[in-house]
Amino acid sequence: MMKLVVLGSGTAVPHPQRASTAHWLETERGSLLLDASAPAVHRMAQENLDWVNLDAIWISHFHLDHVGGLAPLLFGTKHAPQTRSRRKPLNIFGGRGLKQLISAFDEANDYNLLKQPFPVEIQEVAPRAEFEILSGLKAETLSTPHTSESLALRLTEEGGTSLVYTSDTGYTDALAKFAAGVDLLMMECSFPRNKPVETHLELEHAMRVARDAEPRRVLLGHLYPEWDGIDLAREAKKLWPGETIAATDGLRLSVG
Ligand SMILES: [Zn+2]
Ligand SMILES: [Zn+2]
């Protein structure tokens, strides 16, 4: 059983209702932040989430709408009274280059982001890696056609509950195989149609992945303003008969 809270259902484009990408995931083994956009830092507090005890952060790739909150979050935990007595480590996972990226943020000024009341551990993971993202929570990765380091993530709890988070990606057949049979397929769907780049999905491509992967449910996020005024779930139903949910900021879902 996992519980998901959508912190940001949007993109890098400023939008009145959609913050850029971040999700809070509560699992049997602890809590995870799936991407850390700039608004994530305060959205966690707005949603009354236990950010003080956050266990791990997953960074899908290094575009700023996914990673722009990482340095501010570490700056916050470094100075917040609430984290002063915290001792358990915070683990940050992402693709190759994550350590260099965090060092670059850190060295931009005298921030000392990694000097915290608690240990911060940064772990770079490869495509097709299998690892424990939280003690006892299995994670697998897939390289996606978006950036050189971008990774999709599959999580499987001991009881079998599973979730795939594609984050930003272009279309590839590999996505459906990677996401086969999951309880929740969290997929990007940047554009309704006529996508301007190959490195994102439009609805028809996202629904092709859904048809082939046969997940229990689909959650579509990373929605550009082109989606404003369109009934996403109704459009999705025309292409795949299963349950498709349009992400909105503050949406809460139980998985499994
Ligand atoms: Zn993005
Ligand atoms: Zn991106």
Side-chain angles (χ1 to χ4, degrees), residues 61 63 146 168:
H61 67 295
H63 282 158
H146 184 67
D168 295 7

Side-chain angles (χ1 to χ4, degrees), residues 21 61 65-66 168 200 222:
T21 309
H61 67 295
D65 54 322
H66 299 254
D168 295 7
H200 282 300
H222 202 266

Side-chain angles (χ1 to χ4, degrees), residues 6-254:
V6 177
L7 299 174
S9 59
T11 68
V13 180
H15 190 282
Q17 281 92 36
R18 298 188 188 283
S20 42
T21 309
H23 310 81
W24 179 272
L25 190 67
E26 205 78 53
T27 78
E28 288 160 1
R29 299 298 182 152
S31 56
L32 260 175
L33 188 62
L34 300 177
D35 279 332
S37 62
V41 180
H42 301 285
R43 288 283 300 119
M44 290 189 294
Q46 271 181 344
E47 297 288 347
N48 288 313
L49 300 168
D50 186 14
W51 57 271
V52 175
N53 291 302
L54 174 65
D55 291 296
I57 301 173
W58 168 252
I59 298 294
S60 66
H61 67 295
F62 305 154
H63 282 158
L64 282 167
D65 54 322
H66 299 254
V67 78
L70 191 50
L73 174 58
L74 293 172
F75 195 66
T77 56
K78 185 182 173 76
H79 295 291
Q82 296 97 319
T83 42
R84 220 169 275 156
S85 57
R86 173 178 168 149
R87 295 294 175 265
K88 72 169 171 174
L90 173 66
N91 296 304
I92 307 174
F93 297 88
R96 185 177 299 157
L98 181 62
K99 287 179 183 171
Q100 195 193 346
L101 183 84
I102 293 173
S103 293
F105 284 147
D106 202 26
E107 286 159 16
N109 193 19
D110 194 16
Y111 294 126
N112 276 313
L113 293 174
L114 300 181
K115 268 201 187 151
Q116 300 271 347
F118 50 89
V120 177
E121 281 151 33
I122 304 163
Q123 294 190 48
E124 295 187 357
V125 293
R128 293 285 176 193
E130 276 190 33
F131 61 103
E132 286 194 347
I133 196 161
L134 299 169
S135 176
L137 180 65
K138 188 180 143 193
E140 297 162 85
T141 57
L142 174 76
S143 175
T144 50
H146 184 67
T147 62
S148 61
E149 80 285 358
S150 61
L151 295 169
L153 181 71
R154 182 172 178 137
L155 301 176
T156 310
E157 287 191 318
E158 257 169 16
T161 300
S162 58
L163 175 156
V164 160
Y165 173 52
T166 69
S167 191
D168 295 7
T169 182
Y171 179 81
T172 164
D173 292 338
L175 277 176
K177 287 193 193 90
F178 185 69
V182 284
D183 291 295
L184 184 68
L185 173 52
M186 297 169 64
M187 192 159 27
E188 80 124 288
C189 191
S190 291
F191 302 100
R193 62 188 73 82
N194 304 324
K195 63 179 182 178
V197 289
E198 281 306 307
T199 51
H200 282 300
L201 296 176
E202 61 186 64
L203 186 64
E204 188 191 330
H205 303 142
M207 291 297 97
R208 191 187 306 164
V209 176
R211 276 199 304 273
D212 294 343
E214 297 184 29
R216 185 173 285 182
R217 288 193 293 179
V218 168
L219 175 68
L220 295 183
H222 202 266
L223 305 175
Y224 271 87
E226 279 83 341
W227 275 109
D228 289 1
I230 298 177
D231 186 340
L232 184 152
R234 203 177 71 179
E235 294 302 313
K237 202 88 181 171
K238 295 175 188 168
L239 302 168
W240 180 60
E243 184 184 356
T244 300
I245 301 159
T248 52
D249 291 18
L251 178 73
R252 289 171 184 242
L253 283 181
S254 293

